[in-house]
Short mmCIF file of all heavy atoms in Angstrom, two decimals:
data_model
loop_
_atom_site.label_atom_id
_atom_site.label_comp_id
_atom_site.label_asym_id
_atom_site.label_seq_id
_atom_site.Cartn_x
_atom_site.Cartn_y
_atom_site.Cartn_z
N MET A 537 -34.29 -60.93 -69.70
CA MET A 537 -34.05 -60.48 -71.11
C MET A 537 -35.34 -60.35 -71.84
O MET A 537 -36.17 -61.17 -71.70
CB MET A 537 -33.02 -61.54 -71.72
CG MET A 537 -32.66 -61.13 -73.13
SD MET A 537 -31.38 -62.30 -73.72
CE MET A 537 -31.96 -62.34 -75.35
N THR A 538 -35.47 -59.26 -72.60
CA THR A 538 -36.67 -59.08 -73.38
C THR A 538 -36.40 -59.58 -74.78
O THR A 538 -35.29 -59.55 -75.29
CB THR A 538 -37.05 -57.62 -73.40
OG1 THR A 538 -35.98 -56.88 -74.04
CG2 THR A 538 -37.35 -57.08 -72.03
N THR A 539 -37.49 -60.04 -75.38
CA THR A 539 -37.35 -60.57 -76.77
C THR A 539 -37.48 -59.38 -77.71
O THR A 539 -38.16 -58.42 -77.35
CB THR A 539 -38.44 -61.58 -77.09
OG1 THR A 539 -39.72 -60.98 -76.83
CG2 THR A 539 -38.32 -62.81 -76.16
N PRO A 540 -36.87 -59.41 -78.82
CA PRO A 540 -36.95 -58.27 -79.76
C PRO A 540 -38.30 -58.07 -80.34
O PRO A 540 -38.67 -56.97 -80.70
CB PRO A 540 -35.91 -58.61 -80.87
CG PRO A 540 -35.66 -60.10 -80.69
CD PRO A 540 -35.93 -60.48 -79.30
N ASP A 541 -39.09 -59.10 -80.42
CA ASP A 541 -40.48 -58.96 -80.97
C ASP A 541 -41.51 -59.60 -79.97
O ASP A 541 -41.76 -60.74 -80.10
CB ASP A 541 -40.57 -59.67 -82.37
CG ASP A 541 -41.82 -59.39 -83.07
OD1 ASP A 541 -42.49 -58.32 -82.71
OD2 ASP A 541 -42.10 -60.09 -84.02
N PRO A 542 -41.90 -58.77 -78.97
CA PRO A 542 -42.76 -59.36 -77.93
C PRO A 542 -44.19 -59.73 -78.49
O PRO A 542 -44.56 -59.29 -79.60
CB PRO A 542 -42.91 -58.23 -76.93
CG PRO A 542 -42.64 -57.01 -77.63
CD PRO A 542 -41.69 -57.37 -78.76
N GLU A 543 -44.82 -60.59 -77.76
CA GLU A 543 -46.19 -60.96 -78.17
C GLU A 543 -47.11 -59.75 -78.13
O GLU A 543 -47.28 -59.15 -77.07
CB GLU A 543 -46.70 -62.09 -77.21
CG GLU A 543 -48.04 -62.62 -77.48
CD GLU A 543 -48.18 -63.32 -78.75
OE1 GLU A 543 -47.28 -64.04 -79.20
OE2 GLU A 543 -49.26 -63.16 -79.36
N PRO A 544 -47.79 -59.36 -79.28
CA PRO A 544 -48.57 -58.23 -79.25
C PRO A 544 -49.74 -58.26 -78.32
O PRO A 544 -50.25 -57.20 -77.85
CB PRO A 544 -49.01 -58.10 -80.71
CG PRO A 544 -48.12 -58.99 -81.51
CD PRO A 544 -47.60 -59.99 -80.56
N LYS A 545 -50.30 -59.39 -78.03
CA LYS A 545 -51.46 -59.50 -77.14
C LYS A 545 -51.07 -59.20 -75.69
O LYS A 545 -51.87 -58.80 -74.90
CB LYS A 545 -52.10 -60.90 -77.22
CG LYS A 545 -52.72 -61.15 -78.54
CD LYS A 545 -53.27 -62.57 -78.62
CE LYS A 545 -53.82 -62.84 -80.01
NZ LYS A 545 -54.39 -64.12 -80.09
N ARG A 546 -49.83 -59.42 -75.30
CA ARG A 546 -49.34 -59.16 -73.94
C ARG A 546 -48.60 -57.87 -73.77
O ARG A 546 -48.17 -57.60 -72.65
CB ARG A 546 -48.50 -60.35 -73.50
CG ARG A 546 -49.27 -61.67 -73.39
CD ARG A 546 -48.47 -62.81 -72.98
NE ARG A 546 -47.16 -62.47 -72.36
CZ ARG A 546 -46.24 -63.32 -72.08
NH1 ARG A 546 -46.44 -64.64 -72.40
NH2 ARG A 546 -45.15 -62.98 -71.52
N THR A 547 -48.34 -57.12 -74.80
CA THR A 547 -47.59 -55.90 -74.72
C THR A 547 -48.45 -54.74 -74.09
O THR A 547 -49.56 -54.51 -74.57
CB THR A 547 -47.13 -55.40 -76.14
OG1 THR A 547 -46.34 -56.51 -76.70
CG2 THR A 547 -46.25 -54.19 -76.00
N PRO A 548 -48.05 -54.20 -72.96
CA PRO A 548 -48.82 -53.15 -72.37
C PRO A 548 -48.88 -51.88 -73.23
O PRO A 548 -47.92 -51.56 -73.87
CB PRO A 548 -48.11 -52.85 -71.05
CG PRO A 548 -46.67 -53.33 -71.34
CD PRO A 548 -46.88 -54.42 -72.29
N GLY A 549 -50.00 -51.19 -73.20
CA GLY A 549 -50.13 -49.93 -73.92
C GLY A 549 -50.60 -50.00 -75.36
O GLY A 549 -50.53 -49.04 -76.07
N LEU A 550 -50.91 -51.27 -75.87
CA LEU A 550 -51.39 -51.39 -77.20
C LEU A 550 -52.89 -51.62 -77.25
O LEU A 550 -53.50 -52.32 -76.39
CB LEU A 550 -50.68 -52.62 -77.89
CG LEU A 550 -49.15 -52.46 -78.24
CD1 LEU A 550 -48.71 -53.67 -78.87
CD2 LEU A 550 -48.99 -51.25 -79.08
N GLU A 551 -53.46 -50.99 -78.16
CA GLU A 551 -54.95 -51.16 -78.40
C GLU A 551 -55.15 -52.43 -79.28
O GLU A 551 -54.16 -52.85 -79.94
CB GLU A 551 -55.57 -49.92 -79.02
CG GLU A 551 -55.60 -48.79 -78.14
CD GLU A 551 -56.19 -47.56 -78.89
OE1 GLU A 551 -56.24 -47.56 -80.14
OE2 GLU A 551 -56.71 -46.60 -78.14
N PRO A 552 -56.31 -52.95 -79.36
CA PRO A 552 -56.55 -53.98 -80.29
C PRO A 552 -56.18 -53.55 -81.68
O PRO A 552 -56.48 -52.50 -82.09
CB PRO A 552 -58.09 -54.34 -80.14
CG PRO A 552 -58.42 -53.83 -78.81
CD PRO A 552 -57.47 -52.64 -78.55
N GLY A 553 -55.49 -54.38 -82.42
CA GLY A 553 -55.09 -54.02 -83.75
C GLY A 553 -53.61 -53.57 -83.74
O GLY A 553 -53.01 -53.34 -84.80
N GLY A 554 -53.02 -53.37 -82.58
CA GLY A 554 -51.57 -53.10 -82.49
C GLY A 554 -51.26 -51.61 -82.48
O GLY A 554 -50.14 -51.17 -82.57
N GLU A 555 -52.28 -50.72 -82.40
CA GLU A 555 -52.05 -49.24 -82.37
C GLU A 555 -51.78 -48.79 -80.95
O GLU A 555 -52.28 -49.37 -80.00
CB GLU A 555 -53.25 -48.52 -82.99
CG GLU A 555 -53.52 -49.05 -84.36
CD GLU A 555 -53.95 -47.92 -85.28
OE1 GLU A 555 -54.01 -46.77 -84.82
OE2 GLU A 555 -54.04 -48.22 -86.51
N VAL A 556 -51.05 -47.71 -80.88
CA VAL A 556 -50.73 -47.10 -79.58
C VAL A 556 -51.74 -45.98 -79.30
O VAL A 556 -51.97 -45.17 -80.12
CB VAL A 556 -49.28 -46.51 -79.60
CG1 VAL A 556 -48.95 -45.82 -78.23
CG2 VAL A 556 -48.32 -47.57 -79.90
N PRO A 557 -52.38 -46.01 -78.03
CA PRO A 557 -53.36 -45.00 -77.72
C PRO A 557 -52.70 -43.64 -77.54
O PRO A 557 -51.53 -43.54 -77.20
CB PRO A 557 -54.02 -45.49 -76.47
CG PRO A 557 -52.93 -46.38 -75.85
CD PRO A 557 -52.29 -46.98 -76.98
N PRO A 558 -53.42 -42.52 -77.76
CA PRO A 558 -52.86 -41.27 -77.59
C PRO A 558 -52.44 -41.03 -76.12
O PRO A 558 -53.10 -41.44 -75.20
CB PRO A 558 -54.00 -40.24 -77.90
CG PRO A 558 -55.01 -41.04 -78.64
CD PRO A 558 -54.80 -42.53 -78.28
N GLY A 559 -51.27 -40.37 -75.96
CA GLY A 559 -50.78 -40.15 -74.61
C GLY A 559 -49.91 -41.24 -74.08
O GLY A 559 -49.29 -41.09 -73.02
N GLU A 560 -49.82 -42.32 -74.79
CA GLU A 560 -49.05 -43.44 -74.27
C GLU A 560 -47.55 -43.32 -74.58
O GLU A 560 -46.73 -43.69 -73.79
CB GLU A 560 -49.52 -44.77 -74.87
CG GLU A 560 -48.88 -46.02 -74.42
CD GLU A 560 -49.22 -46.37 -72.92
OE1 GLU A 560 -50.27 -45.94 -72.47
OE2 GLU A 560 -48.37 -46.90 -72.25
N ASN A 561 -47.26 -42.76 -75.70
CA ASN A 561 -45.84 -42.55 -76.04
C ASN A 561 -45.35 -41.15 -75.64
O ASN A 561 -46.23 -40.25 -75.48
CB ASN A 561 -45.60 -42.75 -77.59
CG ASN A 561 -46.47 -41.89 -78.38
OD1 ASN A 561 -47.40 -41.27 -77.97
ND2 ASN A 561 -46.21 -41.91 -79.70
N PRO A 562 -44.10 -40.91 -75.50
CA PRO A 562 -43.58 -39.63 -75.04
C PRO A 562 -43.86 -38.58 -76.14
O PRO A 562 -43.95 -38.89 -77.26
CB PRO A 562 -42.10 -39.87 -74.78
CG PRO A 562 -41.74 -41.03 -75.59
CD PRO A 562 -43.04 -41.89 -75.73
N PRO A 563 -43.85 -37.32 -75.75
CA PRO A 563 -44.09 -36.22 -76.73
C PRO A 563 -42.88 -36.16 -77.69
O PRO A 563 -41.77 -36.68 -77.37
CB PRO A 563 -44.10 -34.98 -75.89
CG PRO A 563 -43.51 -35.26 -74.63
CD PRO A 563 -43.72 -36.77 -74.35
N ALA A 564 -43.06 -35.52 -78.76
CA ALA A 564 -41.96 -35.36 -79.73
C ALA A 564 -40.80 -34.58 -79.14
O ALA A 564 -41.01 -33.85 -78.16
CB ALA A 564 -42.48 -34.62 -80.99
N GLU A 565 -39.68 -34.71 -79.71
CA GLU A 565 -38.49 -34.05 -79.18
C GLU A 565 -38.66 -32.55 -79.33
O GLU A 565 -39.03 -32.05 -80.38
CB GLU A 565 -37.28 -34.49 -79.96
CG GLU A 565 -35.92 -33.88 -79.58
CD GLU A 565 -34.79 -34.40 -80.33
OE1 GLU A 565 -34.76 -35.61 -80.60
OE2 GLU A 565 -33.90 -33.58 -80.58
N GLY A 566 -38.35 -31.81 -78.27
CA GLY A 566 -38.48 -30.37 -78.31
C GLY A 566 -37.23 -29.74 -79.01
O GLY A 566 -36.18 -30.37 -79.07
N GLY A 567 -37.40 -28.60 -79.53
CA GLY A 567 -36.36 -27.90 -80.17
C GLY A 567 -35.37 -27.28 -79.14
O GLY A 567 -35.79 -27.15 -78.00
N THR A 568 -34.26 -27.00 -79.57
CA THR A 568 -33.27 -26.33 -78.68
C THR A 568 -33.28 -24.83 -78.97
O THR A 568 -33.35 -24.37 -80.10
CB THR A 568 -31.89 -26.92 -78.86
OG1 THR A 568 -31.48 -26.79 -80.16
CG2 THR A 568 -31.93 -28.39 -78.44
N TYR A 569 -33.07 -24.05 -77.95
CA TYR A 569 -33.00 -22.61 -78.13
C TYR A 569 -31.67 -22.19 -77.60
O TYR A 569 -31.36 -22.38 -76.47
CB TYR A 569 -34.13 -21.95 -77.36
CG TYR A 569 -34.12 -20.41 -77.46
CD1 TYR A 569 -34.54 -19.80 -78.61
CD2 TYR A 569 -33.65 -19.64 -76.41
CE1 TYR A 569 -34.45 -18.43 -78.67
CE2 TYR A 569 -33.56 -18.35 -76.50
CZ TYR A 569 -33.95 -17.71 -77.62
OH TYR A 569 -33.85 -16.29 -77.74
N GLY A 570 -30.87 -21.53 -78.45
CA GLY A 570 -29.56 -21.04 -78.04
C GLY A 570 -28.59 -22.17 -77.80
O GLY A 570 -28.69 -23.24 -78.41
N ILE A 571 -27.63 -21.94 -76.92
CA ILE A 571 -26.61 -22.97 -76.68
C ILE A 571 -26.62 -23.27 -75.21
O ILE A 571 -27.16 -22.56 -74.42
CB ILE A 571 -25.28 -22.44 -77.10
CG1 ILE A 571 -24.86 -21.13 -76.48
CG2 ILE A 571 -25.15 -22.39 -78.64
CD1 ILE A 571 -23.45 -20.63 -76.78
N SER A 572 -26.01 -24.41 -74.82
CA SER A 572 -26.04 -24.78 -73.42
C SER A 572 -25.03 -24.05 -72.56
O SER A 572 -25.23 -23.99 -71.37
CB SER A 572 -25.74 -26.36 -73.33
OG SER A 572 -24.50 -26.57 -73.84
N HIS A 573 -23.98 -23.52 -73.13
CA HIS A 573 -23.00 -22.78 -72.37
C HIS A 573 -22.39 -21.73 -73.22
O HIS A 573 -22.32 -21.86 -74.41
CB HIS A 573 -21.89 -23.72 -71.78
CG HIS A 573 -21.20 -24.52 -72.93
ND1 HIS A 573 -20.18 -23.96 -73.68
CD2 HIS A 573 -21.38 -25.76 -73.38
CE1 HIS A 573 -19.84 -24.90 -74.58
NE2 HIS A 573 -20.51 -26.00 -74.34
N PRO A 574 -21.95 -20.66 -72.63
CA PRO A 574 -21.40 -19.55 -73.47
C PRO A 574 -20.14 -19.94 -74.10
O PRO A 574 -19.28 -20.70 -73.54
CB PRO A 574 -21.13 -18.44 -72.43
CG PRO A 574 -21.10 -19.09 -71.10
CD PRO A 574 -21.97 -20.32 -71.27
N GLU A 575 -19.95 -19.54 -75.38
CA GLU A 575 -18.69 -19.86 -76.07
C GLU A 575 -17.64 -18.93 -75.67
O GLU A 575 -17.84 -17.74 -75.39
CB GLU A 575 -18.97 -19.78 -77.53
CG GLU A 575 -19.92 -20.78 -78.02
CD GLU A 575 -20.10 -20.73 -79.55
OE1 GLU A 575 -19.29 -20.02 -80.27
OE2 GLU A 575 -21.02 -21.49 -80.06
N PRO A 576 -16.31 -19.37 -75.70
CA PRO A 576 -15.26 -18.44 -75.37
C PRO A 576 -15.13 -17.36 -76.46
O PRO A 576 -15.50 -17.61 -77.53
CB PRO A 576 -14.06 -19.35 -75.35
CG PRO A 576 -14.41 -20.55 -76.17
CD PRO A 576 -15.92 -20.69 -76.01
N PRO A 577 -14.57 -16.20 -76.04
CA PRO A 577 -14.41 -15.16 -77.06
C PRO A 577 -13.44 -15.64 -78.17
O PRO A 577 -12.52 -16.41 -77.88
CB PRO A 577 -13.86 -14.00 -76.28
CG PRO A 577 -13.29 -14.58 -75.03
CD PRO A 577 -14.01 -15.90 -74.76
N GLU A 578 -13.63 -15.13 -79.32
CA GLU A 578 -12.77 -15.49 -80.48
C GLU A 578 -11.42 -14.91 -80.27
O GLU A 578 -11.24 -13.76 -79.90
CB GLU A 578 -13.46 -14.96 -81.73
CG GLU A 578 -12.72 -15.42 -83.01
CD GLU A 578 -13.36 -14.95 -84.28
OE1 GLU A 578 -14.60 -14.72 -84.29
OE2 GLU A 578 -12.67 -14.74 -85.27
N LEU A 579 -10.39 -15.79 -80.57
CA LEU A 579 -9.02 -15.34 -80.40
C LEU A 579 -8.65 -14.46 -81.58
O LEU A 579 -9.08 -14.67 -82.69
CB LEU A 579 -8.17 -16.56 -80.35
CG LEU A 579 -8.40 -17.48 -79.16
CD1 LEU A 579 -7.48 -18.77 -79.30
CD2 LEU A 579 -8.09 -16.82 -77.87
N ARG A 580 -7.75 -13.51 -81.25
CA ARG A 580 -7.27 -12.64 -82.36
C ARG A 580 -6.35 -13.43 -83.24
O ARG A 580 -5.65 -14.31 -82.77
CB ARG A 580 -6.52 -11.46 -81.77
CG ARG A 580 -7.48 -10.63 -81.06
CD ARG A 580 -6.78 -9.26 -80.64
NE ARG A 580 -5.62 -9.55 -79.90
CZ ARG A 580 -4.94 -8.61 -79.20
NH1 ARG A 580 -5.35 -7.44 -79.18
NH2 ARG A 580 -3.86 -8.96 -78.50
N LYS A 581 -6.39 -13.18 -84.51
CA LYS A 581 -5.60 -14.01 -85.46
C LYS A 581 -4.20 -13.39 -85.77
O LYS A 581 -3.36 -14.10 -86.22
CB LYS A 581 -6.39 -14.07 -86.78
CG LYS A 581 -7.78 -14.61 -86.54
CD LYS A 581 -8.10 -15.65 -87.54
CE LYS A 581 -9.50 -16.22 -87.46
NZ LYS A 581 -10.04 -16.55 -86.28
N GLY A 582 -3.96 -12.11 -85.46
CA GLY A 582 -2.64 -11.50 -85.82
C GLY A 582 -1.88 -11.14 -84.60
O GLY A 582 -2.34 -11.21 -83.48
N TRP A 583 -0.64 -10.75 -84.83
CA TRP A 583 0.21 -10.25 -83.83
C TRP A 583 -0.21 -8.83 -83.50
O TRP A 583 -0.46 -8.06 -84.43
CB TRP A 583 1.72 -10.27 -84.28
CG TRP A 583 2.26 -11.65 -84.20
CD1 TRP A 583 2.05 -12.63 -85.11
CD2 TRP A 583 3.11 -12.14 -83.27
NE1 TRP A 583 2.79 -13.65 -84.83
CE2 TRP A 583 3.46 -13.43 -83.69
CE3 TRP A 583 3.76 -11.61 -82.16
CZ2 TRP A 583 4.33 -14.22 -82.94
CZ3 TRP A 583 4.66 -12.42 -81.42
CH2 TRP A 583 4.92 -13.69 -81.82
N GLY A 584 -0.07 -8.45 -82.23
CA GLY A 584 -0.31 -7.07 -81.81
C GLY A 584 0.94 -6.24 -82.09
O GLY A 584 2.01 -6.85 -82.35
N PRO A 585 0.83 -4.95 -82.08
CA PRO A 585 2.07 -4.12 -82.42
C PRO A 585 3.15 -4.22 -81.36
O PRO A 585 4.38 -4.21 -81.64
CB PRO A 585 1.52 -2.75 -82.46
CG PRO A 585 0.20 -2.74 -81.74
CD PRO A 585 -0.33 -4.17 -81.88
N MET A 586 2.77 -4.41 -80.08
CA MET A 586 3.76 -4.39 -79.04
C MET A 586 4.71 -5.67 -79.09
O MET A 586 5.96 -5.48 -78.96
CB MET A 586 3.09 -4.34 -77.65
CG MET A 586 4.07 -4.26 -76.47
SD MET A 586 5.16 -2.81 -76.63
CE MET A 586 4.13 -1.56 -76.00
N PRO A 587 4.24 -6.89 -79.30
CA PRO A 587 5.19 -8.04 -79.42
C PRO A 587 6.16 -7.82 -80.57
O PRO A 587 7.28 -8.17 -80.49
CB PRO A 587 4.26 -9.22 -79.59
CG PRO A 587 3.00 -8.84 -79.02
CD PRO A 587 2.90 -7.31 -79.23
N LEU A 588 5.64 -7.28 -81.72
CA LEU A 588 6.47 -7.12 -82.85
C LEU A 588 7.59 -6.08 -82.57
O LEU A 588 8.78 -6.27 -82.98
CB LEU A 588 5.70 -6.69 -84.13
CG LEU A 588 4.77 -7.80 -84.67
CD1 LEU A 588 3.96 -7.15 -85.77
CD2 LEU A 588 5.55 -8.91 -85.14
N VAL A 589 7.31 -4.97 -81.87
CA VAL A 589 8.31 -3.97 -81.57
C VAL A 589 9.31 -4.59 -80.58
O VAL A 589 10.50 -4.37 -80.78
CB VAL A 589 7.62 -2.72 -80.89
CG1 VAL A 589 8.64 -1.77 -80.26
CG2 VAL A 589 6.75 -2.04 -81.94
N LEU A 590 8.87 -5.37 -79.68
CA LEU A 590 9.78 -5.94 -78.67
C LEU A 590 10.73 -6.98 -79.38
O LEU A 590 11.99 -6.99 -79.09
CB LEU A 590 9.12 -6.65 -77.54
CG LEU A 590 8.38 -5.78 -76.54
CD1 LEU A 590 7.60 -6.65 -75.53
CD2 LEU A 590 9.35 -4.92 -75.80
N ILE A 591 10.23 -7.70 -80.38
CA ILE A 591 11.08 -8.65 -81.09
C ILE A 591 12.13 -7.92 -81.92
O ILE A 591 13.31 -8.24 -81.93
CB ILE A 591 10.19 -9.58 -81.96
CG1 ILE A 591 9.43 -10.56 -81.04
CG2 ILE A 591 11.08 -10.37 -82.97
CD1 ILE A 591 8.42 -11.35 -81.77
N MET A 592 11.67 -6.80 -82.58
CA MET A 592 12.64 -5.91 -83.33
C MET A 592 13.70 -5.38 -82.50
O MET A 592 14.85 -5.30 -82.89
CB MET A 592 11.83 -4.93 -84.15
CG MET A 592 11.07 -5.49 -85.36
SD MET A 592 10.46 -4.27 -86.50
CE MET A 592 9.03 -3.70 -85.55
N VAL A 593 13.33 -4.93 -81.31
CA VAL A 593 14.32 -4.35 -80.35
C VAL A 593 15.39 -5.39 -79.90
O VAL A 593 16.52 -5.14 -79.94
CB VAL A 593 13.59 -3.66 -79.15
CG1 VAL A 593 14.65 -3.36 -78.02
CG2 VAL A 593 12.83 -2.47 -79.57
N VAL A 594 14.91 -6.59 -79.63
CA VAL A 594 15.81 -7.68 -79.24
C VAL A 594 16.72 -8.03 -80.36
O VAL A 594 17.98 -8.19 -80.23
CB VAL A 594 15.05 -8.89 -78.72
CG1 VAL A 594 15.97 -10.11 -78.54
CG2 VAL A 594 14.31 -8.54 -77.43
N VAL A 595 16.20 -8.11 -81.61
CA VAL A 595 17.00 -8.41 -82.76
C VAL A 595 18.05 -7.35 -82.99
O VAL A 595 19.22 -7.58 -83.29
CB VAL A 595 16.11 -8.66 -84.00
CG1 VAL A 595 16.92 -8.72 -85.33
CG2 VAL A 595 15.28 -9.90 -83.87
N ALA A 596 17.59 -6.07 -82.93
CA ALA A 596 18.53 -4.98 -83.03
C ALA A 596 19.65 -5.02 -82.03
O ALA A 596 20.88 -4.76 -82.36
CB ALA A 596 17.81 -3.65 -83.02
N LEU A 597 19.30 -5.25 -80.78
CA LEU A 597 20.33 -5.34 -79.74
C LEU A 597 21.37 -6.49 -79.98
O LEU A 597 22.58 -6.33 -79.78
CB LEU A 597 19.71 -5.45 -78.35
CG LEU A 597 18.96 -4.26 -77.80
CD1 LEU A 597 18.26 -4.59 -76.49
CD2 LEU A 597 19.94 -3.10 -77.65
N VAL A 598 20.87 -7.54 -80.44
CA VAL A 598 21.74 -8.77 -80.69
C VAL A 598 22.64 -8.35 -81.87
O VAL A 598 23.81 -8.67 -81.85
CB VAL A 598 20.88 -9.98 -80.94
CG1 VAL A 598 21.83 -11.12 -81.57
CG2 VAL A 598 20.18 -10.48 -79.66
N ALA A 599 22.07 -7.76 -82.91
CA ALA A 599 22.86 -7.36 -84.06
C ALA A 599 23.88 -6.38 -83.64
O ALA A 599 25.09 -6.51 -84.10
CB ALA A 599 21.98 -6.82 -85.17
N ILE A 600 23.60 -5.41 -82.87
CA ILE A 600 24.57 -4.42 -82.39
C ILE A 600 25.62 -5.08 -81.59
O ILE A 600 26.87 -4.79 -81.74
CB ILE A 600 23.87 -3.22 -81.61
CG1 ILE A 600 23.01 -2.48 -82.55
CG2 ILE A 600 24.91 -2.44 -80.85
CD1 ILE A 600 22.11 -1.44 -81.81
N GLY A 601 25.28 -6.02 -80.78
CA GLY A 601 26.23 -6.73 -79.97
C GLY A 601 27.23 -7.56 -80.81
O GLY A 601 28.43 -7.60 -80.56
N LEU A 602 26.69 -8.23 -81.84
CA LEU A 602 27.57 -9.04 -82.73
C LEU A 602 28.46 -8.14 -83.52
O LEU A 602 29.66 -8.46 -83.69
CB LEU A 602 26.68 -9.87 -83.63
CG LEU A 602 25.92 -10.99 -82.91
CD1 LEU A 602 25.02 -11.71 -83.92
CD2 LEU A 602 26.90 -12.05 -82.33
N ILE A 603 27.95 -6.97 -84.00
CA ILE A 603 28.83 -6.10 -84.78
C ILE A 603 29.92 -5.48 -83.84
O ILE A 603 31.12 -5.43 -84.25
CB ILE A 603 27.97 -4.97 -85.29
CG1 ILE A 603 27.07 -5.47 -86.42
CG2 ILE A 603 28.84 -3.82 -85.88
CD1 ILE A 603 26.05 -4.53 -86.97
N ALA A 604 29.61 -5.15 -82.58
CA ALA A 604 30.56 -4.71 -81.63
C ALA A 604 31.62 -5.74 -81.34
O ALA A 604 32.83 -5.40 -81.23
CB ALA A 604 29.96 -4.23 -80.36
N MET A 605 31.28 -6.98 -81.23
CA MET A 605 32.27 -8.08 -80.98
C MET A 605 33.19 -8.23 -82.16
O MET A 605 34.36 -8.42 -82.00
CB MET A 605 31.48 -9.41 -80.65
CG MET A 605 30.95 -9.41 -79.29
SD MET A 605 29.92 -10.90 -78.89
CE MET A 605 30.84 -12.20 -79.71
N ALA A 606 32.58 -8.09 -83.42
CA ALA A 606 33.39 -8.26 -84.60
C ALA A 606 34.37 -7.07 -84.76
O ALA A 606 35.54 -7.27 -85.17
CB ALA A 606 32.54 -8.33 -85.82
N VAL A 607 33.97 -5.90 -84.41
CA VAL A 607 34.88 -4.71 -84.42
C VAL A 607 35.97 -4.81 -83.37
O VAL A 607 37.09 -4.45 -83.63
CB VAL A 607 34.03 -3.41 -84.33
CG1 VAL A 607 34.96 -2.24 -84.18
CG2 VAL A 607 33.08 -3.25 -85.51
N ALA A 608 35.66 -5.32 -82.22
CA ALA A 608 36.59 -5.49 -81.14
C ALA A 608 37.65 -6.42 -81.43
O ALA A 608 38.84 -6.38 -80.87
CB ALA A 608 35.89 -5.79 -79.87
N LEU A 609 37.49 -7.35 -82.37
CA LEU A 609 38.52 -8.35 -82.67
C LEU A 609 39.54 -7.68 -83.46
O LEU A 609 40.48 -7.56 -83.83
CB LEU A 609 37.91 -9.53 -83.41
CG LEU A 609 37.03 -10.47 -82.58
CD1 LEU A 609 36.43 -11.51 -83.49
CD2 LEU A 609 37.81 -11.09 -81.46
#
């Protein structure tokens, strides 16, 4: 287990006075360019014309069938 505050005289990589020499610490974080994976295409927000036409046709057929049943009684 390491102590949270090690003895400065025994810490590797420190110069006298407690400073870190150049090249001892890792380089600064690099920037990111772009994204890591392609994003999926944006979904359309509205209904297309074909599903609406199909729904209207089904509703019309059901209505015609119900009217025909009511007339047949």
Side-chain angles (χ1 to χ4, degrees):
M537 183 173 139
T538 60
T539 59
D541 192 18
E543 178 65 35
K545 293 180 182 178
R546 295 180 15 190
T547 303
L550 290 181
E551 292 181 338
E555 302 219 358
V556 179
E560 185 67 29
N561 55 348
E565 180 179 324
T568 57
Y569 178 77
I571 55 176
S572 60
H573 55 81
E575 294 184 10
E578 185 176 332
L579 297 176
R580 294 188 305 192
K581 305 226 183 314
W583 283 77
M586 187 56 82
L588 291 176
V589 169
L590 290 175
I591 290 172
M592 286 191 285
V593 167
V594 168
V595 168
L597 290 175
V598 169
I600 291 171
L602 290 174
I603 292 171
M605 286 175 37
V607 170
L609 289 177

